[in-house]
Amino acid sequence: MAEPGDQRLGRLIEQEGAQDALAAVRSGEAPAGLDRVELEKRFPAWRARLSEADPERLLATCEESGGRLVCPGEAEWPSQLDDLGDGRPYALWVRGDQDLRFGCLRSVALVGARAASAYGIHVAAEMAAELADHNWTVVSGGAYGIDAAAHRGVLSADGLTVAVLACGVDVTYPSAHAGLFTEIARSGLLVSELPPRATPTRPRFLIRNRAIAALTRGTVVVEAAQRSGAISTARHARDLGRAVMVVPGPVTSPTSAGCHTLLREWGEAVCVTDASDVLDRVGLIGDDMAPQRRGPVLDRDRLGPAARDVLEALPSRGGAGAARIAVTAGVDLDTALTCLGALAAGGFVERCMKGWKLRHNPLDP
């Protein structure tokens, strides 16, 4: 039997703190049955905890790690976050020399499973590097798997990547990503709603997903199981009117099951396979349109109309005279002879006892 809403709220506050409970309700990630009225009833109990807050210390700690606080209304504030309405972050802690607002003007979120497959990691890294080559910023969450592959793909292409964290920008989580976060802070940006020294919790991962979706023009789910935080990010992107894109995977792979569900059940989700597909969805008309996809160009594709008609007129086996070929192709004899000479020079046909024959199957590449 499900817990009543107030009990779940109390447990959330006890485990994660009042700040997370407030953010959960504002971002739409709070347990069902909670609303702002119930939350505000508990403000007096939380007010007593304000004595523990020390803004000056937090700012000093952030500055010591090379960070800064960016607030709404400031020049560096990304105005697209205002689309979140009441769910907009109060402020963002930022670490890195790049300008957050400018860096996110042309940005795409690449998210996916932590327990990613080799296929997913390869696709994420390649797609991120290609986006960086086109001067697009890639935003992700700094986690294992797809997130890390996306960040590393951008770094390999000397591009700009933004990691939105579920902890303070001075906290390394996961610890194995210490080197990765150092590289991101040097050439990109580490961003968080949480103050310095804040540690990650499960609700904080869910809450930060809305910021990833809101910062970018669209979200690409590279690989995701049925129950995945990446689906949460895609849901926020859909609710904000942002583009939702999905990379398909093997139908036998559990780590792509969530992707296939999005494609099957969400009319807004679009299948993408590379960076050109992504830019075709989120880029500017005329500047970022993806080229039309087609198969490989064969030698016969370069033939003129008359030469193709003559080539098609030759029997698949044996040979035929020039006059018969001309009648079958619907051209005059001079045209047939001219085309046969050109086809012979191209290696399509050759002379034989009966006149002309195919040198090889023209349908073959």
Side-chain angles (χ1 to χ4, degrees):
M1 181 176 179
E3 292 180 281
D6 58 346
Q7 291 182 18
R8 277 179 289 174
L9 175 60
R11 184 162 54 84
L12 179 62
I13 295 170
E14 179 182 356
Q15 292 178 353
E16 311 302 343
Q19 183 179 17
D20 288 340
L22 281 165
V25 171
R26 295 174 67 242
S27 67
E29 293 289 353
L34 300 182
D35 57 29
R36 185 180 298 274
V37 174
E38 294 177 346
L39 202 60
E40 290 177 347
K41 291 179 180 178
R42 290 156 178 82
F43 282 170
W46 297 337
R47 190 172 292 118
R49 301 176 58 178
L50 290 177
S51 60
E52 302 176 5
D54 187 348
E56 296 299 329
R57 178 182 58 82
L58 292 175
L59 287 171
T61 301
C62 184
E63 291 175 358
E64 288 173 3
S65 63
R68 60 192 179 278
L69 184 66
V70 178
C71 298
E74 295 183 346
E76 194 179 357
W77 179 259
S79 59
Q80 60 266 38
L81 288 175
D82 299 341
D83 293 344
L84 289 168
D86 289 340
R88 183 188 71 177
Y90 290 114
L92 292 175
W93 302 85
V94 181
R95 181 180 164 201
D97 295 332
Q98 303 296 325
D99 184 278
L100 178 60
R101 181 180 181 276
F102 180 78
C104 290
L105 288 177
R106 286 164 50 95
S107 63
V108 178
L110 261 64
V111 296
R114 287 177 172 81
S117 68
Y119 162 80
I121 290 173
H122 172 77
V123 171
E126 287 291 320
M127 185 176 290
E130 291 175 10
L131 288 168
D133 287 338
H134 287 83
N135 297 317
W136 279 74
T137 299
V138 173
V139 180
S140 198
Y144 285 123
I146 298 301
D147 289 12
H151 292 309
R152 291 191 174 104
V154 174
L155 293 173
S156 70
D158 295 325
L160 174 60
T161 187
V162 176
V164 182
L165 307 178
C167 56
V169 293
D170 61 335
V171 176
T172 301
Y173 184 88
S175 58
H177 284 174
L180 175 61
F181 290 162
T182 298
E183 287 296 313
I184 293 175
R186 186 177 65 180
S187 61
L189 292 167
L190 298 175
V191 177
S192 179
E193 295 179 56
L194 299 165
R197 300 180 181 176
T199 56
T201 62
R202 185 177 182 279
R204 289 173 177 174
F205 281 108
L206 294 175
I207 292 167
R208 66 89 192 266
N209 289 342
R210 83 193 193 289
I212 294 176
L215 278 171
T216 57
R217 293 192 187 180
T219 293
V220 181
V221 182
V222 178
E223 193 172 41
Q226 291 288 9
R227 292 176 57 86
S228 172
I231 305 299
S232 168
T233 307
R235 187 176 295 109
H236 285 299
R238 179 192 61 183
D239 294 343
L240 289 166
R242 308 289 201 266
V244 178
M245 296 155 282
V246 181
V247 175
V251 297
T252 55
S253 173
T255 53
S256 288
C259 294
H260 299 152
T261 297
L262 293 182
L263 290 173
R264 184 174 62 252
E265 299 181 0
W266 288 21
E268 302 88 345
V270 175
C271 176
V272 294
T273 58
D274 57 21
S276 64
D277 287 345
V278 175
L279 296 182
D280 189 46
R281 183 67 174 164
V282 301
L284 298 176
I285 297 176
D287 292 338
D288 301 301
M289 297 289 289
Q292 183 178 3
R293 296 186 181 275
R294 57 172 297 171
V297 178
L298 307 179
D299 290 338
R300 69 190 315 274
D301 295 331
R302 300 185 177 92
L303 298 175
R308 283 199 298 268
D309 291 340
V310 170
L311 184 61
E312 293 291 344
L314 269 76
S316 57
R317 293 185 180 181
R324 178 185 169 189
I325 293 172
V327 172
T328 303
V331 299
D332 59 76
L333 182 58
D334 288 342
T335 299
L337 289 171
T338 300
C339 291
L340 287 169
L343 291 171
F348 289 93
V349 301
E350 61 184 356
R351 290 186 176 276
C352 65
M353 294 294 294
K354 294 183 178 182
W356 297 89
K357 69 175 183 178
L358 295 174
R359 187 170 182 178
H360 61 79
N361 188 347
L363 296 179
D364 292 337

